Amino acid sequence: MAETELPAPFTTLAGPHRTGAVIENSEFLTFADRADTPGDALAQLAALRARYPDATHHCWAYRIGAAYRFGDDGEPGGTAGAPILRAIEGQGVDHVMVVVVRFYGGVKLGTGGLVRAYGGGAAECLRTAARLEVRPRRTVRVAVPFDAVSGLYHLLGTWDVTRGEEAYTAGGVELDVHLYPEDAGAFAAALRDATRGAAVTDLD
């Protein structure tokens, strides 16, 4: 069976992170979190707008694989959303949403000052956030006769795999096993040994 091409591994955030700064009397609160879909990212933006309704601006950017968007929310074009996006790319993270909430303090920062405030704030937030390496798993369908199920269960307990739901057939048990692609061949060989050749996978 042909192997389906999997997404490449990527580095994202382990959880939400927040930093803050006051620049020329304006307060900048930067929020960063993992977002796996554009809908996730925009939901984070909506939540922060609801949480800080009195803020002057809610500027943002996300990068999710090849998809990206950003918004200046009333700041001069190119001074907020784009620098935030560049910070995401510069920090080498993916599946990430960053929102910078600004409370205007009465002093105009100018174009360069805004770029530094938004881009620098985003970079600092991402730099100090805990990270998580995501390695996509491959799904392998396994079918085992009833008299070899104990061998399968023992094997699953010794490998770094996650299990899908089991389905019972007339002859035995079928289930999906999710494992790292580089482990697929060795796992299939170990499964054959554990079940004395009785197990069948879609790797065969």
Side-chain angles (χ1 to χ4, degrees), residues 39 58 82 95 106 119 139 148 160:
H58 301 80
H95 289 238
T139 299
D160 184 2

Side-chain angles (χ1 to χ4, degrees), residues 117-133:
Y118 283 103
E124 175 66 11
C125 186
L126 292 169
R127 186 186 66 78
T128 56
R131 300 191 178 194
L132 174 70
E133 185 74 17

Side-chain angles (χ1 to χ4, degrees), residues 44-122:
Q44 293 175 28
L45 175 62
L48 287 168
R49 282 178 168 157
R51 183 176 173 185
Y52 299 101
D54 298 331
T56 318
H57 305 281
H58 301 80
C59 303
W60 56 276
Y62 69 70
R63 164 69 75 177
I64 304 170
Y68 66 89
R69 277 184 65 191
F70 56 85
D72 295 313
D73 194 30
E75 294 283 29
T79 64
I84 295 170
L85 179 63
R86 286 196 295 271
I88 294 172
E89 294 169 340
Q91 289 294 315
V93 289
D94 199 352
H95 289 238
V96 167
M97 172 66 159
V98 177
V99 182
V100 181
V101 178
R102 181 189 184 189
F103 294 87
Y104 181 57
V107 179
K108 292 186 177 181
L109 300 182
T111 299
L114 289 171
V115 169
R116 286 190 295 274
Y118 283 103

Side-chain angles (χ1 to χ4, degrees), residues 8-70:
F10 61 88
T11 301
T12 188
L13 302 187
H17 189 58
R18 169 183 168 173
T19 56
V22 177
I23 303 172
E24 297 289 350
N25 297 328
S26 283
E27 184 177 13
F28 292 85
L29 302 177
T30 304
F31 300 84
D33 201 356
R34 178 174 177 172
D36 289 324
T37 67
D40 290 344
L42 296 178
Q44 293 175 28
L45 175 62
L48 287 168
R49 282 178 168 157
R51 183 176 173 185
Y52 299 101
D54 298 331
T56 318
H57 305 281
H58 301 80
C59 303
W60 56 276
Y62 69 70
R63 164 69 75 177
I64 304 170
Y68 66 89
R69 277 184 65 191
F70 56 85

